[in-house]
Amino acid sequence: MKHLNLLLLLQLIVLIAFGQNKLSGIVSGNGEKLAGASVVLENSYYGVSTLGNGSFEFNNLKNGDYKVKISFIGFNTKVIGVTLNSDKQISINLEPNVIMTDEIMIAATRAKDKTPMAYNNMSGDEIAQRNMGQDIPYLLQLTPSFVATSDAGAGIGYSSFRIRGTDMNRINVSVNGIPINDAESHGTWFVDLPDLASSLENVQVQRGVGTSTNGAAAFGATINLQTNTLNKNPYGEYKTAFGTFNTFKNTISAGTGLMNGKFSVDARLSKVTSYGYIDRAESDLKSFFVSAGYYTENTILKVNIFSGFEETYQAWNGISSDMLETNRTYNSAGEYTDENGNIRYYENQVDHYQQDNYRLHFSQKLNQNWNLNLSAHYTYGRGYYENYKEDEELADYQISDIIVGSEIIETTDLVNRKWLNNNFYGLIYSLNYNKNRSDFLLGGGFSIYDGDHYGNVIWAQFLGDTKPNYEWYNNNGLKKDYNIYAKYNYQITEKINLFIDLQFRKIDYSINGIDDDLRDLEQSYDFNFFNPKFGIYYQLTNNQKLYISRAIANREPNRTAYVDKDPNGKTPEYETLCNWELGYNYSSSKLSLSANYYFMNYKNQLVLTGEINDVGAPIMVNVDKSYRTGIELQAGVQITNNIKWNGNTTLSSNKIKDFTEHVDNWDTWGQETFKLGTTNLAFSPNVVANSQFIFSPLKSLNIAFVSSFVGKQFIDNTSNEDRILENYLINNLKIDYLIKTNLFEEIKFHFMVNNLFNEMYESNAWVYSYIYGDKRYKMDGYYPQAGTHFMLGVDFKF
């Protein structure tokens, strides 16, 4: 472990770039110098933005041939070749695009080159190379501070993720600026949108509070996904893959290209199936994506419709720690005992859900400096999870005792379905002004979430006069979310850029009805949040930059915190985060280095302390003081012309101050309290590291060796060594080979081996502690991940 960290750190600090020449120039368009244009040396780590006068400069370049890529929103991208054997100055004139480009639709929520925040961009090509059917969290796990986990153990089905130790319920996720977090739970389940990765143009991950966006507050990160942009040429693709655990992925996509210079239609159809690593953890996933666009020089009108269906056998129980050595794939879901005393498994213990998304996007260039974006959205989701239950109390389902002769029946085996039926709709907008040194944006939106939660008894051994499909509980959550934000970037000097971002957010949330345990849920809340962000970007040299920022975010409790709260106890309060970021970046043609220090200070963070409510269920409790702090190091090196290395390491400390643990005492039917002082936040490893060596011996052959290390994690907030996830190091191998034929434009073969050295590890867990007979015991559930497994795929493009 120590050797791995030392290796990564040494590679960050001992590499030096050599060069002799300077390449400079001016970028113009429409007769004006273009400030903020992107100028990149292709196949290198070197990229800059033009200054206020349109100028740029690259230093320390070796003699040789370079390709320079210049791009700016509203203009055609240009690539020019340059030969250097001495200092050289060039002039580039970009031609206005005859149609608007899709990038303008997401500009409001994206961090830009001079935004003083920690972020990483991933291109569509990178996503496509990694996409072998696993959920999106597994495609993003090489970004800094990112940890992914899977219930089924192989990345297909229900998956979750953490960034800087922050769970997905506190991470804002959007598609084209429209939030996809569940408005009540705040979570994001990519299983509901299978193979969305095949329709992505790019992804930006902002760590920390990030910039203002729509939807739930970002308490650990923001993930901003952009779907496919206009492809001017007709195309068709068929991608198929298969592998271990009877995994299959098939994707068909096609597009018309730009018809009559104005119209385009794109479509995708996907199906992914897998048995999973865990017993009976099957996944049956289907999705489609359709996009139709109308493009002119000053207008975009685009309709996106996409839908996903998932049916997965439940695998969320985990297995006890004492079974990890003997039966790592055991799954207790659906287990029951038949009339002969034999253990059986209910075959329909499934999670079944469909989500339909409708989006209308409109962008208008008002003049040379002003742009307007409007988007309307509607999401309809419905589904259930089904459970076989043994010896359930009839009274718990509001069913009267059944009298059969002289016998009174009070319990029964039964099957229930817990339903969620929700509607989510709203509007987002942004108005952008850009001229010379100023970049101003006014944005915001509103949304309404209306979600019904109810449960039906679809079968029971004893029902009496009660009819099947009897509804025993029903409640509704209604949430209205409004926000408005203003962002202003001002280039004070050629080297200094000031960033200000102010957001106001208002939330109205109410719950009514009864829960599945028959408790009355009637309650309502109102919140008004002000979330300011400030930062300064400083260009030390043309290839070095420094930034510092401070941001505040406020987050309302999610549904679980309210539903499970003790009616006789304290109501959960909103959380507040003050986030400092200090970063440095260096880039050259062969080397990229960056370091980002962060300090995330929480007030009233909601955590599990062991406290319970009036029916004995665990509840979230506000802790007064807690924090996360660390440094994120990234590096990239072009070692030779055909060998490249990229890596990152996060070293962090994640603490709760003055933590008090509550433990159930089964002897007294009360709780014991233990003041533990400063403890570690659960699921927050002190070390997360990734390494990727890419070897390209041929232009058509690419071999990548990828390593990911996750340090030890505590599975509760007590810092008890008896309740941990051990550290693990996973190595993967990916090989891609491309050929061109007369029949197909290209055929690409993929071969991927995950967990190459068969590491036995667990990436997630839960624990419950109690006292019995004056001794401390625990119940727990761990989520083992698959050993060595592979995928083989072929892509046909025509």
Side-chain angles (χ1 to χ4, degrees), residues 713-738:
Q713 305 172 62
F714 293 97
I715 62 177
D716 66 11
N717 295 301
T718 65
S719 295
N720 191 305
E721 292 290 336
D722 186 48
R723 300 190 284 276
I724 61 170
L725 291 169
E726 300 287 356
N727 60 48
Y728 54 89
L729 173 63
I730 305 303
N731 298 279
N732 304 324
L733 179 67
K734 180 80 185 325
I735 301 173
D736 301 291
Y737 182 65
L738 175 70

Side-chain angles (χ1 to χ4, degrees), residues 107-109 117 210-214 429-433 439-445 483-490 498-505 530-535:
T109 55
M117 305 285 180
T211 66
S212 289
T213 186
N214 302 289
Y429 60 89
S430 64
L431 181 65
N432 182 231
Y433 171 81
D439 185 356
F440 173 76
L441 189 142
L442 178 68
N483 83 94
I484 184 171
Y485 57 84
K487 302 179 183 181
Y488 185 52
N489 278 281
Y490 181 68
L498 175 67
F499 173 78
I500 301 174
D501 182 343
L502 305 175
Q503 182 193 51
F504 174 76
R505 183 167 175 246
F530 177 58
N531 303 314
K533 307 166 185 70
F534 304 92

Side-chain angles (χ1 to χ4, degrees), residues 237-252:
E237 292 181 330
Y238 170 61
K239 299 180 179 181
T240 184
F242 67 92
T244 314
F245 314 123
N246 206 32
T247 299
F248 289 90
K249 172 182 179 290
N250 288 281
T251 302
I252 300 173

Side-chain angles (χ1 to χ4, degrees), residues 252-273:
I252 300 173
S253 55
T256 63
L258 193 61
M259 301 181 294
N260 298 323
K262 292 184 178 181
F263 302 95
S264 73
V265 178
D266 299 90
R268 171 187 58 81
L269 186 65
S270 299
K271 181 175 175 62
V272 181
T273 58

